[in-house]
Amino acid sequence: MGKCAVITGASRGIGAGIAEKLASENWNLALCARQDAETGKAQCAKLKEKYGVDADYFRCDISSDSDRENTISSIIERFGSIDALINNAGVAPKVRADILEMTGESFDFVMNINLRGSFFFTQLAARQMAAQRSGTIINIGSCSATVASINRGEYCMSKAGVGMATKLWAVRMAEFGVNVYEIRPGIIETDMTSGVKEKYDNLIAGGLTLQPRWGYPEDIAKAVASLLRGDLAYSTGQVINIDGGMNIGKL
Ligand code: NAP
């Protein structure tokens, strides 16, 4: 059996890009999302045919305790090991509301998926990696971990939490030889940003990013592949910004 990478939120956007890139680098894939099994299996079939890897789909709502448990145990049964976990599933708030108007429902919705879901999914995978004494964990965080957007504060807080989760897991898993990283995308062209395309087109044209273009799922996927190849093997716990230089404060 080859090495198995688990990718959450693999159905579209950044997660689908990561799946394609890792398949091209010979990783077997356990793809997780909420789309129906037929669509997920069809995505796997395409990757298997194109790259000759093994791939399977596991329907999983990351905010559900029972889905997470069933998914991790099914993956271990199916693939025998978890060699990489890419925590990518994430949502923006359904409505961008000023923090003076934010509802508890929206706070819970975003936190339950982005922070609680990814943390407890990691916990299950980390127990397996600890037993194996091997593996790599990569959190897909966000530039919003440090940049305050008052009309989606719940998202910013969730991603700031992911930043601490990265450190916590790096500390906890070091004794097992498991490296933990966080990739912080900037502005990436996916469904998540499709509703604010014009706003970001204008900001990018106005110099928000040093490299004057949108990021693409491939930009994130290349960074994930590099980490899984071991290119930054002596850097556990670190944050890799993939944002066209957006994080540099300018005067
Ligand atoms: P996207 O195109 O909206 O895709 C989101 C993915 O997450 C989908 O595969 C979706 O699967 C999955 N997902 C959502 N809720 C889920 C749940 N409850 N359980 C399981 N899977 C769920 O978003 P994206 O832009 O690719 O974002 C991927 C990650 O990058 C997110 O964590 C996001 O916060 C982060 N990010 C994105 C940007 C950006 O500019 N796009 C910037 C910084 C960080 P379904 O098919 O099941 O809905």
Side-chain angles (χ1 to χ4, degrees):
M1 273 195 207
K3 287 191 165 188
C4 166
V6 179
I7 306 170
T8 67
S11 56
R12 23 194 193 97
I14 291 171
I18 294 169
E20 181 93 25
K21 179 70 180 165
L22 294 190
S24 80
E25 301 215 351
N26 224 24
W27 280 85
N28 295 327
L29 300 174
L31 303 186
C32 309
R34 293 170 305 175
Q35 65 186 355
D36 62 75
E38 203 181 322
T39 316
K41 298 264 180 205
Q43 182 187 7
C44 290
K46 277 190 198 156
L47 293 169
K48 283 158 94 164
E49 194 185 324
K50 191 167 171 189
Y51 299 106
V53 296
D54 195 2
D56 213 341
Y57 177 66
F58 301 83
R59 192 169 188 202
C60 173
D61 180 337
I62 205 79
S63 64
S64 152
D65 294 355
S66 58
D67 273 18
R68 288 192 303 270
E69 276 163 29
N70 293 336
T71 298
I72 289 289
S73 60
S74 302
I75 290 170
I76 294 167
E77 199 176 315
R78 168 72 170 76
F79 288 94
S81 64
I82 296 178
D83 303 294
L85 167 64
I86 297 95
N87 282 309
N88 166 77
V91 289
K94 289 175 189 160
V95 178
R96 287 186 173 222
D98 187 285
I99 52 173
L100 289 170
E101 313 299 336
M102 187 203 295
T103 62
E105 190 189 0
S106 182
F107 182 97
D108 290 346
F109 167 70
V110 172
M111 285 290 180
N112 278 338
I113 295 171
N114 294 5
L115 185 56
R116 189 176 188 278
S118 71
F119 178 84
F120 285 106
F121 197 69
T122 301
Q123 185 187 64
L124 296 169
R127 287 176 185 159
Q128 171 66 19
M129 290 180 181
Q132 294 168 189
R133 302 193 77 81
S134 66
T136 304
I137 296 169
I138 301 174
N139 289 330
I140 306 299
S142 172
C143 57
S144 297
T146 59
V147 178
S149 299
I150 55 170
N151 63 352
R152 51 192 182 105
E154 57 278 67
Y155 182 78
C156 299
M157 288 186 277
S158 73
K159 292 298 185 177
V162 168
M164 177 49 76
T166 302
K167 291 185 190 186
L168 289 166
W169 286 119
V171 172
R172 187 65 189 88
M173 298 306 286
E175 70 180 273
F176 304 109
V178 172
N179 282 2
V180 183
Y181 304 95
E182 179 175 342
I183 291 176
R184 280 193 189 158
I187 298 167
I188 313 297
E189 195 170 67
T190 66
D191 290 349
M192 188 178 275
T193 45
S194 59
V196 281
K197 176 136 184 18
E198 201 181 327
K199 175 186 168 184
Y200 286 135
D201 278 345
N202 292 333
L203 286 170
I204 290 168
L208 178 69
T209 54
L210 301 185
Q211 293 167 277
R213 68 163 174 87
W214 281 74
Y216 303 111
E218 307 87 88
D219 291 308
I220 308 303
K222 282 180 194 165
V224 170
S226 171
L227 291 172
L228 293 188
R229 280 195 303 266
D231 292 349
L232 296 181
Y234 193 50
S235 301
T236 193
Q238 299 309 303
V239 173
I240 321 292
N241 293 294
I242 307 288
D243 65 356
M246 193 179 91
N247 67 87
I248 298 174
K250 299 186 288 292
L251 195 58

